[in-house]
Structure formats: C-alpha cells, structure tokens
C-alpha cells in the first residue's frame, strides 16, 4: 500500500476546493476520503466564510484603520486589499475597522481581556475575524481554548491532522482544542462566536482550531 502523511493543503478544482485523499499514517489508519467545500465566494468579502473570536485582537499588528465602517464593509475592504489576512471590528465609535497583514497563528496568540491603561473588559466589544475562503481549512488560535464545551475526547497519540479528520467526520463538530504535550484533543459542537470568545491559555499548552463549514463525502 501507499504510505503518505495526512495533508491539510487544499487544491482548487473548477471553483470547488478539494482535499487530497489521506492514507495510512504512523499513528493510526486514516480511511481515504474526499472533502468538497461549497463554491468559493472570494469575490465579495461579506459572502466569504469568516471565523470570529469575540473580545480579542492581534495587538500591535494593525496596518490600516477605517472609520465609519460596518462589518460587511470591513470584510469587503480586507478582501479588496490583497495583503489583508485578518480584521478587527467594533460597532462602537461609529464603526471602526482594523486591517492586518497577520493572522493569530503568525503572531503567536490573540490578546484578550483589557487594553493597558483602559477599563476592565475594554476589548469585549471588539471581534477578531479571519477569512476561511471555503477551503475547508482550520483557523488556528495559539494559546487559547473553548472552555467547558467538550463533547468528545481523543486521548494520546493524536496530531492536529488526526483531530481535524475526526472533527470533519462528525456532523456536529465545529472546533477542537489540541493539547500538544499529551497528544490529546477535545472536540466541540460550539465555536468561539457561539460562546462569546475563548479562554486565554498563557502557558501555551492548548491551541484552538475552528473548521470552515464543509460537506464531506466518504470514498470506500
């Protein structure tokens, strides 16, 4: 048989995004499968799939500030700017929009809680957004977890790839927390925007992964 590591990369096929088939890994047997996402809608920022983390920002990585912008206008501006990878938006102050060249995984974490010299919960009204582009990929937030919403536990010898595959195989699964030190993950039927945000994990033992909405089709 052919041995090949599981891949998270996605190939585009006629306007659809398709995963390469996965085969046997060193840890466990992974059945061959194909994942087909909904047709890409990247032409319009508002119609793209966006993952959202309420009450969080990428501190110090704001590249362009826009005033009097709705959320849809902010998303469209990011899509139109070829360099933009994430946004932060608040409806307060007339609607403020921050465009960034970075994602949470590129800077190592999201900041939650309070801005320095500002009142408690000063970030509560700001939401971090990252486009998913209908490509079945995960949004990765280092040093964070979805607290108290675990539906299934996979203990030991797990990788991000195997946890992603297991989550994709469950119709209810929207996200998972991965504990690298123990090789375990916790699958959830909730995502960050469902529960009002993530819990910051300062020791870096857990990372949060959120899946883009996809349709899965098993190939025997």
């Amino acid at each position: 048989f052919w041995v090949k590591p599981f891949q998270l990369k996605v190939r585009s096929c006629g306007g659809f995004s398709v995963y390469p088939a996965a085969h046997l890994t060193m840890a466990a047997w992974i059945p061959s499968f194909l994942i087909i996402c909904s047709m890409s809608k990247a032409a319009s920022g508002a119609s793209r799939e966006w993952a959202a983390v309420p009450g969080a920002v990428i501190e110090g990585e704001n590249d362009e500030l826009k005033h009097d912008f709705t959320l849809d206008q902010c998303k469209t501006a990011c899509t139109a700017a070829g360099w933009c990878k994430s946004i932060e938006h608040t409806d307060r102050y007339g609607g403020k929009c921050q465009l960034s060249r970075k994602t949470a995984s590129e800077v190592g974490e999201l900041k939650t809680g309070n801005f320095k010299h500002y009142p408690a919960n000063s970030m509560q009204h700001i939401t971090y957004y990252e486009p998913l582009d209908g490509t079945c990929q995960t949004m990765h937030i280092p040093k964070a977890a979805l607290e108290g919403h675990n539906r299934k536990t996979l203990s030991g010898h797990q990788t991000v790839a195997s946890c992603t595959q297991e989550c994709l195989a469950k119709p209810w699964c929207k996200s998972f927390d991965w504990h690298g030190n123990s090789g375990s993950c916790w699958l959830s039927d909730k995502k960050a925007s469902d529960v009002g945000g993530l819990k910051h994990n300062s020791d870096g033992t857990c990372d949060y992964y959120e899946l883009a909405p996809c349709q899965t089709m098993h190939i025997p």
Side-chain angles (χ1 to χ4, degrees), residues 147-162:
E147 190 176 32
H149 294 278
N150 303 324
R151 184 161 168 180
K152 182 176 181 179
T153 300
L154 303 175
S155 300
H157 306 293
Q158 300 297 320
T159 64
V160 172
S162 64

Side-chain angles (χ1 to χ4, degrees), residues 1 23-25 27-32 165:
F1 51 81
H23 296 271
L24 188 66
T25 65
W29 172 257
I30 299 178
S32 298
Q165 184 218 352

Side-chain angles (χ1 to χ4, degrees), residues 29-84:
W29 172 257
I30 299 178
S32 298
F33 66 98
L34 185 67
I35 299 165
I36 304 176
C37 290
S38 58
M39 187 165 291
S40 174
K41 298 179 181 178
S44 171
S47 64
R48 298 166 80 181
E49 293 289 351
W50 293 76
V53 183
V57 300
I58 298 182
E59 192 173 32
E61 297 292 343
N62 301 322
D63 294 292
E64 187 174 334
L65 172 63
K66 295 185 178 294
H67 298 274
D68 302 318
F69 264 50
T70 65
L71 176 57
D72 283 352
Q73 288 173 323
C74 191
K75 291 176 177 179
T76 299
C78 183
T79 300
W83 49 264
C84 181

Side-chain angles (χ1 to χ4, degrees), residues 132-151:
L132 295 173
D133 296 327
T135 53
C136 302
Q137 85 270 30
T138 56
M139 177 183 70
H140 173 212
I141 306 295
K143 301 180 182 179
L146 193 70
E147 190 176 32
H149 294 278
N150 303 324
R151 184 161 168 180

